[in-house]
Amino acid sequence: MMQKQEFLELFEAAILAAKTAARGGDGKNNKNSPSPAVSRCVDAMIRLREAPESLACELVIDRRYPQIGKSHGLFMEHKNPRIQSEAKVLYSLWLKYLYATGKKQNPRPRDQGQSRPVVNKKKKLVEEEMISTTTGDCNRDKVREILAKALSKVAVEMKEGVVSCDSWSVAASVESAMFERLGSFEGTQKAKYRSILFNMGDSRNPDLRRKVLLGEISGERLVTMEKEEMASNKIQMEIQNIKERVRVRDENRVKSMMTFQSDMMIMT
């Protein structure tokens, strides 16, 4: 059975190999002959999937090993598709473990006239500790806090499937991408920041939060999305319906004009 030291060594090996592959440091990467660094990274992550559930949960949320959460972006947004794909499988597995652990620690209470849900104090403490890690910039820290709170809603919104107990690390990764692309939260970029934060926190837009949490939408992709792309599925359908009605109206208008012109030519 895998022990803590082996787990940490494998994770460090995966990080080092991913960084080497990103730099192209030990050979070219193509479909027929992937670089040794890519193979080392993928092999390490495959072995990490064999870690016992209890060990994975313990280390993923342990602040003494911040590299596990901070490396989320390195793997999920890696330019190599094999590393990206294996990272999604690995992090999804760990999130499922955390979800299952949370359900065991916080079973749904029977209906005994109690209207307030039982609070998972351990999970709440973990997220508060994560939020206490700051960048030193008050604006950036506020953005991270808002994103983390939005991502933590997934735990309530998803009845089954993956729920993240590490919303802070994902929020930090997304905010870093926003800061790199948009700069500081000021001037003309305020509107873009507010648009992203609004859509991430919108109670009618759970799909966006879920996709960002699971890495289906990376921080870099989120920053480049238009308002319509970030909108909820319902709003997107409404926009499509409006566009379709406008298209039909314009087509009918053109047909009417052509019919009128044809009638005028006949009369003349």
Side-chain angles (χ1 to χ4, degrees):
M1 182 179 293
M2 186 180 297
Q3 302 298 317
K4 180 184 294 187
Q5 187 59 36
E6 182 182 0
F7 183 101
L8 295 174
E9 288 176 356
L10 281 171
F11 199 87
E12 289 296 336
I15 292 175
L16 180 61
K19 290 180 177 179
T20 302
R23 295 193 301 266
D26 67 348
K28 295 182 178 179
N29 180 27
N30 55 63
K31 293 182 179 179
N32 296 325
S33 180
S35 75
V38 172
S39 297
R40 290 198 304 271
C41 181
V42 171
D43 289 344
M45 286 194 284
I46 290 174
R47 291 184 60 190
L48 283 167
R49 294 201 318 238
E50 301 171 1
E53 178 178 338
S54 58
L55 177 63
C57 288
E58 174 190 350
L59 297 180
V60 167
I61 66 175
D62 195 327
R63 289 192 67 203
R64 290 175 296 175
Y65 309 105
Q67 66 271 29
I68 296 176
K70 291 181 179 179
S71 299
H72 178 274
L74 170 65
F75 295 128
M76 300 290 278
E77 298 166 11
H78 201 282
K79 63 182 181 181
N80 185 276
R82 288 187 64 202
I83 293 178
Q84 269 194 25
S85 176
E86 187 57 42
K88 288 181 180 179
V89 173
L90 181 62
Y91 275 88
S92 293
L93 177 65
W94 287 348
L95 289 170
K96 288 178 182 178
Y97 286 166
L98 291 168
Y99 172 63
T101 301
K103 288 189 70 175
K104 290 176 184 177
Q105 294 175 350
N106 182 26
R108 182 171 295 180
R110 296 181 181 273
D111 186 8
Q112 297 178 345
Q114 297 177 352
S115 59
R116 297 180 63 184
V118 176
V119 177
N120 187 335
K121 294 182 179 179
K122 183 176 180 181
K123 177 185 171 185
K124 183 177 180 181
L125 178 61
V126 168
E127 292 191 342
E128 288 176 349
E129 288 177 347
M130 287 179 176
I131 292 175
S132 67
T133 305
T134 63
T135 64
D137 183 309
C138 61
N139 286 332
R140 292 189 64 186
D141 293 338
K142 186 62 178 178
V143 170
R144 290 189 175 196
E145 182 178 350
I146 294 172
L147 288 170
K149 287 182 179 179
L151 291 167
S152 67
K153 292 181 181 180
V154 178
V156 178
E157 294 165 340
M158 293 186 69
K159 296 178 181 179
E160 296 180 356
V162 176
V163 175
S164 174
C165 289
D166 194 18
S167 56
W168 174 249
S169 65
V170 181
S173 175
V174 171
E175 185 279 329
S176 295
M178 292 170 67
F179 182 76
E180 182 176 348
R181 177 88 179 194
L182 303 174
S184 57
F185 184 76
E186 59 184 9
T188 58
Q189 301 300 345
K190 275 188 176 182
K192 184 64 175 180
Y193 267 97
R194 287 171 176 163
S195 176
I196 293 173
L197 296 178
F198 170 79
N199 282 285
M200 285 292 292
D202 188 356
S203 60
R204 299 166 299 178
N205 202 356
D207 287 334
L208 180 64
R209 285 186 288 277
R210 176 182 58 79
K211 290 177 181 179
V212 171
L213 183 65
L214 298 182
E216 295 176 20
I217 297 177
S218 66
E220 285 77 7
R221 171 68 183 126
L222 183 66
V223 177
T224 61
M225 292 173 72
E226 299 294 335
K227 292 180 181 179
E228 291 78 8
E229 294 178 283
M230 289 188 287
S232 65
N233 291 341
K234 181 179 179 180
I235 292 178
Q236 288 189 31
M237 289 181 63
E238 290 176 354
I239 292 173
Q240 283 297 113
N241 289 336
I242 291 172
K243 289 182 177 179
E244 180 64 18
R245 288 199 297 269
V246 170
R247 184 187 66 79
V248 172
R249 184 192 64 190
D250 290 343
E251 286 182 354
N252 290 336
R253 182 181 299 171
V254 170
K255 289 179 181 179
S256 296
M257 291 179 64
M258 292 177 66
T259 301
F260 175 76
Q261 291 176 355
S262 177
D263 291 342
M264 290 296 292
M265 290 177 66
I266 293 174
M267 292 177 63
T268 58

